[in-house]
Amino acid sequence: MIPRRFFPALLIASLVVTPSISRAANATAAQQRTQSFSVEIEGSGQDVILIPGLASPRSVWDGLAERLKAHYRLHLVQIAGFAGEPAQKNAHDKVMQPVASALSRYIETAHLNKPILIGHSIGGELALMVASDTPERVGAVIVVDALPFYPLVFNPSATRETVQPQAEAFRRSLLQEQPENQRRMSQEQAIARMVRTESARPGLVEAGLRSDMKTVANALYDDMTTDLRPALPKITAPVTVIYAYDPVYGVPAATIDALYRTSYAATPHVRFQRIDDSYHFIMIDQPEKFDSAVETALKPRPPESRP
C-alpha cells in the first residue's frame, strides 16, 4: 500500500497547472468546441491528441507542444468545467464516459487517421477508455502517471463496490460550501504534494480556484469508481505508461514499479518508463526527461513488441 500523503491520491483537490506559456495567447491555433471540451489545433503532421487531467488546463502541455508541433498536428483538449473552461449547462453527473465518447466522435468527425493519445492523470484514463471503446481508431496511447483503477493506490484488492462509499463521501465533501481561505489552504496543501517544483506552486493555487466544483466532484467520483482493467485487453494500439517516483513516497521504487506493472498486466502491448525525482506533474518537475520519454514513445514500434 502506498502512503496516501505523497502519491497522486491528492487528485481530490481541484488543481490546475498553468505554465508560463499561454495557449490562449497563441493566435495561430485553430479552435473547435464540443459540449464536453474545446480543442486548439496547431502544427502539422501525424495527429496527436493531448488530454489534461483533473481540473487542469491544456497549457500543461505547452513545453511538450513546443517540441512536437514541428512534426505533429496537435489537438490540445480543454475539458468543460476545468480550469476556467465553461461548465456544461444541465450536464449529467457523469463526466468521464461522456468525455471519452465525445473524444471518439471527435476523432471520427475530424477524420483523424489513428491519432496518438497522450493523457495525464484522468486524461490518461480517458485515453485508455477511447482506445478500448474504439480500438480501430487509435494509433498509440501514452499514459502519464495514471492507473487503470485509481483506488489501487490505497488498496491492491480494491473493487468498485468497496470504494463507492468513500467516493461518494469525497464528492459530497467537495460540493459543500467552503470559506475562500479554507479552500485556498486546501489547494496549497494539495499542490505542495503534487508538484515538487516550488516556484510553480503559487500559480497553481490561483488557477485551481477557477474550476467548477460540481464538475470536479463528479469527475473525481467517476475516477474512483471506474475500473478499466477489464477493458485493457481490447486495446490493440501500443501503450506507453510514464510514471513518477520520488523518495518522499516513503516506499522503494520497486514497489511503484510493481504497482504499475501489475495494474496494466492485461494490456497486450505495453511499455513502462519511470521518471525519478518527480511528483505527479512530471512535465513540470522533470520537463527534459519527460519530453524525451514522450518522443521515444512516439517512435513507431512493432505491434507485438512488449518489454
Side-chain angles (χ1 to χ4, degrees), residues 36-38 51-53 56 77-83 85 95 99 126 215:
S36 297
F37 56 83
S38 65
I51 313 163
S56 295
V77 169
Q78 179 65 68
I79 296 173
F82 288 176
E85 185 79 10
V95 175
V99 172
L126 288 169
T215 304

Side-chain angles (χ1 to χ4, degrees), residues 68-225:
L68 297 184
K69 66 182 181 180
H71 304 288
Y72 297 91
R73 184 166 67 147
L74 308 179
H75 304 255
L76 294 127
V77 169
Q78 179 65 68
I79 296 173
F82 288 176
E85 185 79 10
Q88 293 189 64
K89 294 181 179 179
N90 304 316
H92 192 272
D93 286 347
K94 292 290 184 183
V95 175
M96 291 182 67
Q97 187 58 61
V99 172
S101 298
L103 285 166
S104 294
R105 289 193 299 272
Y106 175 76
I107 291 171
E108 181 180 14
T109 58
H111 306 292
L112 306 187
N113 182 23
K114 289 189 175 295
I116 297 166
L117 308 183
I118 305 177
H120 173 242
S121 194
I122 281 180
E125 294 170 60
L126 288 169
L128 293 172
M129 293 172 76
V130 174
S132 60
D133 289 344
T134 55
E136 72 284 355
R137 294 180 184 167
V138 176
V141 178
I142 302 174
V143 177
V144 183
D145 218 50
L147 293 169
F149 186 41
Y150 166 53
L152 296 175
V153 168
F154 307 133
N155 182 1
S157 61
T159 67
R160 183 183 185 278
E161 290 72 26
T162 60
V163 302
Q164 194 162 4
Q166 184 183 20
E168 184 57 48
F170 277 144
R171 177 159 64 179
R172 287 196 305 269
S173 68
L174 284 175
L175 291 175
Q176 291 177 352
E177 290 291 333
Q178 288 185 327
E180 175 67 20
N181 64 336
Q182 184 177 341
R183 188 179 175 200
R184 180 178 295 275
M185 184 179 299
S186 297
Q187 288 285 92
E188 291 173 346
Q189 292 172 347
I191 289 170
R193 292 165 172 80
M194 297 185 76
V195 183
R196 192 171 188 256
T197 306
E198 292 186 12
S199 62
R201 293 174 184 171
L204 310 189
V205 172
E206 297 303 321
L209 300 174
R210 295 201 301 266
S211 292
D212 175 67
M213 286 308 300
K214 181 179 178 181
T215 304
V216 170
N218 287 333
L220 173 63
Y221 178 85
D222 280 356
D223 188 32
M224 294 187 69
T225 58

Side-chain angles (χ1 to χ4, degrees), residues 12-63:
I12 59 175
S14 63
L15 61 94
V16 299
V17 176
T18 309
S20 59
I21 303 172
S22 172
R23 305 227 70 78
N26 188 342
T28 65
Q31 297 188 22
Q32 299 186 31
R33 183 179 296 276
T34 72
Q35 284 193 338
S36 297
F37 56 83
S38 65
V39 182
E40 289 186 0
I41 305 170
E42 61 182 40
S44 60
Q46 184 177 7
D47 291 300
V48 176
I49 300 176
L50 298 107
I51 313 163
L54 181 71
S56 295
R58 63 171 59 92
S59 58
V60 70
W61 303 116
D62 277 358

Side-chain angles (χ1 to χ4, degrees), residues 142 240 242 273 275 288-298:
I142 302 174
T240 300
I242 302 171
Q273 176 65 60
I275 296 182
E288 290 297 323
K289 291 180 181 178
F290 175 75
D291 291 355
S292 177
V294 170
E295 290 176 333
T296 297
L298 289 171

